[in-house]
Amino acid sequence: MHITKSVNDNILKLTITGNLDVNAASKLNEITECDLAGIQELILDCQGVEEISSAGLGAILKAHRKMNTQGIMKVLNIQGVSKKIFEVTGFADVLTIA
Amino acid sequence: MLIKNPYFRSMFFYATNEKFHYTYRIMVNLKKEIDGTALRRAADITMKRYPYFAVKVEQNGEDYEIVPNDSPIVVTHGKELPYLGTEEVNYHFLAIGYEDKRIYFDVYHMLTDGGSMCPFIKTLLYYYLCDVTGLSLAPDGIRLIDSEISEEEYRDPFEMIKSYPAKAFYEYQPVKAFSLGSENRDTLGHQTSFFIKVNEKDFMNYIKENDGTPNAIASALFYRAIIRNHPELELPVVAGVAMNNMTVLNAADSYFSFVSLLHLKYISEMKDDDMRILGTVGRGMIMLQSQPENILVQTAQKPRLVKYLESFPTHEERRVAMWEVMQKAWYVDTYNVSYFGRIDWGSIGEYVDSMFGMIEAGEGGAMIEIASADGNFDFSITQSFRDDRYIKSFMELLEEAGIEFSYEGSMELMRPRVKVF
């Protein structure tokens, strides 16, 4: 699992690779708590995500709720089993997926 | 301390009728034969500690009131089912029975739910077991007769709400779900309960391996059991999972019954998904649907329900209106799942064998009640029909997963009737 951060003005892009499991969720939660000041757009690029766990869903939901108060969060390139999980759980109805 | 809030009063008065007795039975199996005299003594002591469970309904002009009931709680021998709220149980909405090694707790659901009955059961078993063993058992985690009755025990959740959100965070869109009744017409109406004791450690390991929770994995296993019998099924299977709203409303210890249903939808494209995906999906759906805004928006609608009911002039019309509301809200899922949570029996645990909750399954559905304590998950699966093929498949799935379990038999559903007025 790896999360790469890149900031451009008030846009923060997180590129996630590997499994979005408990460890990755913990790291994503840390970013949500510490790195979102002044950020108006948060982009989660999930092209490299292989599997997603419930902890990963929880972390994404937390980030989404935080961004709802200060801007927007977009999820990019979600695919495969992760995409199916987003669709059947209803997460796809709540999140902005591009 | 007694039910005063208009919503809870309306539910108490109108949520049951001749067709549907909104009651449940909790069956606690001890390891030794029950001593009826000691049980009687323990029941009398316990009722003093839980005065909010000692109520009756009195007529006051055109209206009815829930008032204290000083008459003793009725304790009977045998499996005969009581008629709650009537003279035979001193007009109480709670009665106790026993036979062999079993104690039955028969309860009107609008008095309290199964989770809130657990402290009462623990108190009663504590006094009973101290009496019959002659031992001074450790009282840790047990509400004793001289312990303070804290405000949290009877907190009105509506009073805890500071404001309501404008809209829900997420709204589940109901779908036409597969009905088990459609495939089991021959024995439909023969409500049957099946009991399975599952090794707690094995089941917890399985839950962890598959990214689940007891609710999510029990729902997924029963879904799998259905698919095993109907491999060509195209309609979605939906599990209605009971959620206690009181935790979200900061009234977790309150005895008021305030449960809503979360809907875990399994579509035909999920038939071949492995259990880990079903676990993640189940937890994800629970997570999304249990967001505080959703519960608060549902709660905000309750006063509107009261107004609607009060728009009908007679109590009987209100009861009919309530039944229509309940049918629309409930009988849309394939089966229901309710997990009491883990019960810490403390010092009395070594005397308790198992505990099963029994409640009527919705028309054409099934109701899975789960309790966990002292090494086991106790599953009580009540179906609205007799056929046991889903139960057999459920147990096959447990076996294939390497989960130790024992089948404890089946019986025709035993649940009391109730007459409020």
Side-chain angles (χ1 to χ4, degrees):
Chain A
M1 176 280 298
H2 195 70
I3 300 180
T4 310
K5 289 191 273 185
S6 62
V7 185
N8 186 356
D9 291 333
N10 47 21
I11 301 172
L12 172 62
K13 184 175 179 183
L14 302 177
T15 305
I16 308 168
T17 51
N19 292 343
L20 192 35
D21 55 12
V22 174
N23 293 332
S26 171
K27 196 161 182 189
L28 184 53
N29 282 332
E30 199 180 300
I31 293 168
T32 300
E33 279 157 26
C34 305
D35 296 344
L36 294 185
I39 297 297
Q40 289 179 359
E41 186 173 331
L42 173 64
I43 297 170
L44 299 185
D45 189 338
C46 296
Q47 179 130 34
V49 171
E50 288 158 17
E51 284 180 20
I52 189 163
S53 71
S54 60
L57 290 175
I60 288 174
L61 192 58
K62 190 174 176 183
H64 170 75
R65 291 188 70 107
K66 172 88 173 167
M67 287 310 298
N68 264 355
T69 64
Q70 62 188 68
I72 187 169
M73 184 181 93
K74 291 177 184 166
V75 181
L76 306 186
N77 301 316
I78 192 93
Q79 55 200 334
V81 175
S82 300
K83 188 177 181 195
K84 183 177 180 182
I85 288 174
F86 271 50
E87 284 168 355
V88 296
T89 52
F91 272 67
D93 302 329
V94 170
L95 304 175
T96 303
I97 295 178
Chain B
M1 196 180 285
L2 303 189
I3 296 169
K4 289 196 179 70
N5 179 289
Y7 168 69
F8 291 112
R9 272 170 48 90
S10 291
M11 291 302 287
F12 197 99
F13 290 145
Y14 309 123
T16 194
N17 58 60
E18 279 298 310
K19 287 183 209 143
F20 176 71
H21 292 266
Y22 197 4
T23 62
Y24 60 91
R25 164 169 275 196
I26 294 177
M27 178 170 77
V28 179
N29 295 310
L30 298 190
K31 291 177 182 168
K32 288 190 174 166
E33 194 93 3
I34 306 301
D35 175 336
T37 310
L39 184 65
R40 160 89 269 159
R41 283 194 292 268
D44 288 339
I45 296 169
T46 305
M47 285 307 282
K48 289 196 181 84
R49 174 58 185 76
Y50 295 86
Y52 42 79
F53 289 159
V55 297
K56 62 183 174 182
V57 169
E58 262 182 13
Q59 189 159 12
N60 182 8
E62 291 291 301
D63 271 324
Y64 293 90
E65 295 295 334
I66 300 164
V67 299
N69 185 346
D70 297 330
S71 302
I73 189 86
V74 169
V75 178
T76 51
H77 180 251
K79 61 161 70 89
E80 199 165 319
L81 291 156
Y83 209 133
L84 300 172
T86 69
E87 189 179 4
E88 73 173 59
V89 292
N90 287 339
Y91 301 100
H92 279 286
F93 291 89
L94 162 66
I96 297 168
Y98 69 97
E99 63 173 345
D100 306 327
K101 298 175 184 174
R102 287 177 174 164
I103 303 175
Y104 302 117
F105 297 87
D106 292 307
V107 191
Y108 177 38
H109 210 308
M110 290 300 102
L111 176 67
T112 195
D113 54 38
S116 298
M117 268 306 286
C118 286
F120 177 93
I121 292 171
K122 280 171 68 173
T123 302
L124 184 139
L125 291 181
Y126 173 80
Y127 284 111
Y128 170 76
L129 289 164
C130 284
D131 192 341
V132 295
T133 62
L135 300 171
S136 296
L137 299 169
D140 303 339
I142 289 163
R143 294 176 184 167
L144 299 182
I145 181 71
D146 53 359
S147 64
E148 186 195 351
I149 301 172
S150 74
E151 203 186 320
E152 280 83 31
E153 289 180 46
Y154 52 90
R155 181 172 272 167
D156 180 343
F158 287 89
E159 288 176 3
M160 303 301 295
I161 301 167
K162 292 185 177 72
S163 63
Y164 290 100
K167 63 184 178 102
F169 183 78
Y170 168 78
E171 278 185 72
Y172 169 78
Q173 299 302 318
V175 292
K176 180 175 168 44
F178 172 61
S179 166
L180 295 165
S182 66
E183 294 287 334
N184 295 279
R185 292 188 196 285
D186 292 353
T187 60
L188 201 56
H190 295 272
Q191 295 257 341
T192 311
S193 300
F194 301 85
F195 307 105
I196 305 167
K197 259 169 75 171
V198 176
N199 181 286
E200 186 179 32
K201 196 175 163 197
D202 287 357
F203 196 57
M204 280 313 296
N205 284 338
Y206 188 67
I207 286 168
K208 280 180 196 153
E209 280 165 19
N210 291 296
D211 195 28
T213 59
N215 270 329
I217 295 298
S219 298
L221 280 169
F222 204 69
Y223 164 63
R224 278 273 176 82
I226 291 169
I227 291 302
R228 196 162 274 201
N229 287 280
H230 308 292
E232 307 302 322
L233 188 64
E234 286 300 322
L235 277 175
V237 169
V238 182
V241 173
M243 178 186 163
N244 187 352
N245 295 329
M246 299 300 245
T247 308
V248 173
L249 301 176
N250 296 316
D253 288 334
S254 179
Y255 77 91
F256 296 117
S257 180
F258 198 12
V259 174
S260 61
L261 285 179
L262 312 177
H263 307 277
L264 310 195
K265 181 174 74 178
Y266 303 99
I267 55 175
S268 60
E269 290 80 2
M270 295 164 76
K271 274 179 201 168
D272 300 321
D273 284 345
D274 69 39
M275 188 52 80
R276 190 170 169 81
I277 293 176
L278 296 182
T280 302
V281 164
R283 276 185 92 165
M285 288 190 273
I286 289 171
M287 197 186 297
L288 202 54
Q289 293 177 40
S290 61
Q291 292 295 302
E293 293 92 335
N294 303 349
I295 307 301
L296 285 165
V297 164
Q298 285 179 34
T299 307
Q301 290 164 358
K302 303 304 180 191
R304 268 181 257 155
L305 172 65
V306 175
K307 266 192 179 172
Y308 170 69
L309 293 175
E310 287 177 349
S311 70
F312 295 91
T314 70
H315 294 292
E316 195 45 47
E317 284 171 300
R318 291 174 193 176
R319 191 142 47 188
V320 171
M322 185 73 218
W323 178 230
E324 285 169 3
V325 170
M326 285 162 70
Q327 280 184 301
K328 275 182 201 159
W330 289 359
Y331 299 135
V332 292
D333 297 330
T334 310
Y335 54 94
N336 294 88
V337 179
S338 174
Y339 174 49
F340 281 56
R342 195 176 190 286
I343 302 158
D344 181 4
W345 290 118
S347 61
I348 58 178
E350 64 177 291
Y351 303 92
V352 181
D353 178 71
S354 55
M355 182 174 103
F356 296 104
M358 284 176 276
I359 188 163
E360 186 174 323
E363 197 178 328
M367 180 79 213
I368 304 170
E369 292 274 349
I370 313 163
S372 73
D374 285 314
N376 289 309
F377 275 88
D378 298 327
F379 279 74
S380 158
I381 305 177
T382 299
Q383 297 181 156
S384 57
F385 49 90
R386 205 181 281 140
D387 195 321
D388 64 356
R389 59 183 150 160
Y390 307 111
I391 308 298
K392 283 179 177 160
S393 296
F394 185 80
M395 291 192 289
E396 277 169 17
L397 288 160
L398 291 174
E399 197 169 350
E400 288 163 18
I403 299 168
E404 190 187 312
F405 68 94
S406 63
Y407 177 58
E408 302 285 305
S410 69
M411 61 169 76
E412 191 179 326
L413 171 70
M414 291 166 53
R415 57 120 183 82
R417 290 179 293 169
V418 61
K419 188 176 192 301
V420 177
F421 45 73

